[in-house]
Amino acid sequence: MSEAIVSEEVGVSEAGANTRMNMIQAINSAMEVMMARDPSVIVMGEDVGYFGGVFRATAGLQAKFGKTRVFDTPITECGIIGVAIGMGAYGLRPVPEIQFADYIYPALDQLVSEAARLRYRSAGQFTAPLTVRSPFGGGIFGGQTHSQSPEGIFTHVSGVKTVIPSTPYDAKGLLIASIEDNDPVIFFEPKRIYNGPFDGHWDRPSKNWSGHAGGEVPEGYYRIELGKAAIVRPGEAVTILAYGTMVHVVQSTVEDMGVDAEIIDLRTLVPLDIETIEASVKKTGRCMVVHEATRTSGFGSELVSLVQERCFYHLEAPVERVTGFDTPYPHSLEWAYFPGPVRIGQALKKLLKD
Amino acid sequence: MTVDARPNLPPLSLHVPEPKFRPGDTVDFAAVEVPPAGAQPRPDTAADPASFHELAYTLVRVLDDAGQAVGPWNPRLTPDTLRQMLRDMALVRAFDERMFRAQRQGKTSFYMKCLGEEAVAVSATHALSRDDMCFPSYRQQGILIARGYALERMMNQIYSNTADELHGKQLPIMYSSREDGFFSISGNLTTQYPQAVGWAMASAAKGDTRIAATWCGEGSTAEGDFHSALTFATVYKAPVIFNIVNNQWAISSFSGFAGAEATTFAARAIGYGIAGLRVDGNDALAVYAATSWAAERARTNQGPTLIEHFTYRAEGHSTSDDPTQYRSAGEPTAWPLGDPVARLKDHLIAIGEWDEERHAAQDRELAELVKVAQKNAEKNGILGHGLHQPLDSLFDGVFEEMPWHLKEQRQQMLDEETASGRPWARKK
Ligand SMILES: Cc1ncc(C[n+]2csc(CCOP(=O)(O)OP(=O)(O)O)c2C)c(N)n1
Ligand SMILES: [Mg+2]
C-alpha cells in the first residue's frame, strides 16, 4: 500500500485512526472531510442530495452540511458542469457528480471548451477548480449506457486531469487531492469494485473490501498526490500498466499464472507518472498495458507510444495492449467483451515467449 | 474565497426546492388543483396557440367522478374502442408485474414498470395512426402493446435470449421496432426529442402525411435536447407531438428540480410559441382527446403541440430503485387523480358496457396470456451470463461492413473461447 502524503501544515495526526471502508464509503468520507475543512467545497448532481446518490456516495452529506452545500440538480449534465464552472468563478470548489460516465457526453462542451481552457484563455484570471466524479466501467450487466469507460476522451483534452482509483484507500486520498487541486479533474470511479475487488472471474463469488489492505482507510484527512503511480506488485519479468478495476484483474491473473510481473497502478492518467513507468520498463524489458475501454485511440495507445519513445532500446518484445473490443458495450455478451483473465493471460504468454 | 456582502443591502439566499412529503410524512395532496372534468374549452385545431394559453395551466379532463365522459374534449369513442383501450392498459399492467418478478427471480438484469401511467402511452397510441412514428422513452411499453406487438417478443428482448431481435445488444426494455413505428429506445435521456422533430421535418419536406410523436419524463425536460427540439419544431412548424409525462418523480428528485415550483411543464410551450395542453394523464379519454387534437393540428400543417400528462409514478423508478428511501409511502394511494385503469373501467361500467365480473375474468385471462408468453420466451433462454446469444454476434452491427480491425478482434475473441475450454453458442 502506498504511503499517504500528509501535507506539512496539517501533520500526521489529521489522518486519524484507520477503519474498514468500501470504496463508496471512502469516497463519501473524502467529501465529508473536505466539506468540513473548506466551506467553499460544495456537492451537486442528480439525486445526490436527500437520497445521497444512486450509488449512495453522497449519503448523509446533505443532512450534515445543508441544502445550499449539497443539492440535487435538474437532469442536464451540460447545465451541471456549466453551473459548476460559474460557481468556481465565484470562488467555490464544486464537486459535481455525473450519475454515470455514460451520461457525461451532454456536458462535453462545458468540459472541453470551457473548464479545460478557462485558465489558459483568461491568463489565470479565472480557473475551474472542479472535481467531476462519475462511476464508470462495466461488469454489472448495465448495457451500453451504464458501462462505458470514456477516460480516453478526456485524456485527449489538454487542461483536464484524469484520476482513477483502484482501492478505497486510494479513492479517498486521490479524491481529497483532486478537490484541493485548482484545475478541473475528472474522477472516474470503477463501479465494479465499489463493494470489493474483482478478479475478473464473473462466475466466482464476489469479494468485499474487508479482506484487502486497500480497504483500510484513515477516518480523517490525507492526500495521495496526483500524478503518482503505485507499484502494487514489484516484479522482474514484465511491467504491467493498469488502472481501476483492471488492476485487480491483472493481479489475480498474474498470481494464477505465477508470473513475476511488476504491476503499476497508474492512479492518475493525466498527469502521468512517467518516471515510475520508465524505470520499471527499463528494468523488466517487457511491457503490457491493460484497460477495459475500447482499443482504438484508447489511453493504452498513449502508453504504448510513451514506452516505445523512452524505453525502445530496453524492450525485448513489442509492447502488448489488452483492452475491451471496439464495439459498444454489449448486454448479454458482457463477459466476452470484458478483458478478463483469458485475454490478459494470452497476451502475457505472447509477451514472455522468448 | 471572500464574501463581499455590503452591510446596507439584504444578504442573498439560495433557494433549493424541497418536496412536500418525505418518508414518514402523512400525505395530503389538497394543494394539487384538480379542476372539474368537462370545464376546459376545446379550441379549434386551427386556432393560434397564443389564443389558448390557459390550457397550459389547467387540466384537460373528460371523466368525471361519476365515471361519465363530459365536456367538449369528450372524444366520443365507441364501446369497442374503449374496451380495447382498457384491455391494452390492463395487459401492460399484467406484463409489468410479471417481468418485474422475473427480474427479482434473477432471470434478467433490469426492468422498469409504468404502473399508474398506462393511459399515457396506450391512449395516445390509439389516437395516432398506425403508421405515425413514435420516439418513446423507456416508460412507454404501452405503445408496443397497443400496437399489438407480441408479448413474447418483448420478453425475448428482456431476457437477451436467442430469439431477442436486438441480439442481446441492449439493456432490457430498450425495445426497437421499425415496422411498428417504434424508434430504438436510448438510455440517454431526451435524445429522442430532436430526433422526432427531424423525422417530422423529413415527412413534411417530402409531402408525406405521417406525423411523429415523442415522450419524455418531466425530469428529462431539463436536458438541452428538450429545448433544441422545441426550437426546431417551432421554427419549421414540424408535425410533431411532444409528450411530457409528468409523473412527479425523476428517480429521487421531485418535479421541482425540473422547474415545477415555478410553472407547469405545459407552459414550456408558450415561450416557444407552440400549442400547449396540460392533461389529466390518468384520464384515458382526456389523453386520447388531446392526442387526436394535436395530431389533427400536425396533419393540417398547424405545427407542433406540447402535451403535459399530469400523472404519478406509482412504483420505484426501476428494479434498481427503492422509493421508500426518499418519498412518503402514502403518496401513491393518496394521488388525487386515481388509477387510470380503474377510471376507464368505471366509465365503461357507468355507461353499461362492462361489469366487474367481465373485468375480473379479463384480468385472469391477461395474467394467463402473459404467463404463457413467458413460458414460451423462456424456452429461448433467460439472461444467463450471455451464454444464450451466439458469441460471434458480438461484432455484428458496429458497422454495415466489418472493417479489418474488428475482424481481427473477433478472431481474437474466438481464440479466447478455445483457450478458456468453455465453448459458447455460435450463430447457426
Ligand atoms: C443523459 C442522462 N442523464 C442521466 C440519466 C440517468 N437517469 C435515468 S432515468 C432518470 C430520471 C428521469 O426522470 P423523468 O424524466 O422524470 O422520467 P421517469 O423516469 O419519471 O419516467 C435519470 C436521472 C440518463 N439515463 N441519461
Ligand atoms: Mg418523472
Side-chain angles (χ1 to χ4, degrees), chain B residues 256-329:
Chain B
F257 281 102
E261 284 185 337
T263 187
T264 68
F265 291 97
R268 294 279 182 267
I270 292 172
Y272 290 98
I274 288 175
L277 297 179
R278 190 159 178 267
V279 171
D280 176 350
N282 290 9
D283 177 339
L285 297 190
V287 172
Y288 186 103
T291 308
S292 50
W293 182 86
E296 192 179 314
R297 283 181 50 82
R299 276 188 231 290
T300 52
N301 289 309
Q302 301 296 325
T305 301
L306 176 76
I307 306 173
E308 171 186 350
H309 302 267
F310 196 66
T311 179
Y312 187 83
R313 195 195 77 204
E315 291 219 7
H317 173 74
S318 71
T319 45
S320 313
D321 183 39
D322 173 11
T324 65
Q325 296 287 313
Y326 52 80
R327 71 180 190 190
S328 171

Side-chain angles (χ1 to χ4, degrees), chain A residues 5-21:
Chain A
I5 292 141
V6 180
S7 74
E8 280 145 38
E9 63 289 15
V10 259
V12 184
S13 61
E14 288 270 328
N18 280 359
T19 167
R20 282 275 154 201
M21 293 188 198

Side-chain angles (χ1 to χ4, degrees), chain A residues 46 77 99 103, chain B residues 138-139 187 189 217-220 247 249-250 317:
Chain A
E46 295 158 15
E77 292 73 17
Q99 198 163 80
Y103 305 140
Chain B
Y138 46 72
R139 225 181 280 285
L189 297 172
E218 87 294 339
S220 301
N247 63 5
W249 290 94
H317 173 74

Side-chain angles (χ1 to χ4, degrees), chain B residues 127-210:
Chain B
L128 292 170
S129 292
R130 187 65 172 72
D131 56 359
D132 289 334
M133 185 68 190
C134 297
F135 290 78
S137 89
Y138 46 72
R139 225 181 280 285
Q140 283 80 47
Q141 52 269 57
I143 298 171
L144 275 182
I145 286 180
R147 285 192 167 171
Y149 194 85
L151 304 181
E152 193 182 318
R153 295 169 73 191
M154 295 170 77
M155 291 168 172
N156 289 333
Q157 197 280 333
I158 290 166
Y159 289 141
S160 275
N161 65 21
T162 48
D164 172 9
E165 292 161 57
L166 307 184
H167 307 302
K169 299 260 165 69
Q170 181 56 306
L171 199 67
I173 66 101
M174 303 284 178
Y175 313 106
S176 176
S177 183
R178 191 185 175 98
E179 61 187 18
D180 294 287
F182 190 95
F183 190 72
S184 160
I185 298 174
S186 172
N188 295 59
L189 297 172
T190 340
T191 50
Q192 71 276 18
Y193 250 59
Q195 294 161 355
V197 176
W199 196 97
M201 286 170 62
S203 185
K206 287 293 178 191
D208 203 331
T209 55
R210 294 172 294 166

Side-chain angles (χ1 to χ4, degrees), chain B residues 235-258:
Chain B
V235 167
Y236 298 101
K237 279 199 160 198
V240 61
I241 304 173
F242 297 117
N243 295 283
I244 300 173
V245 185
N246 178 5
N247 63 5
Q248 315 301 322
W249 290 94
I251 310 187
S252 78
S253 305
F254 85 115
S255 57
F257 281 102

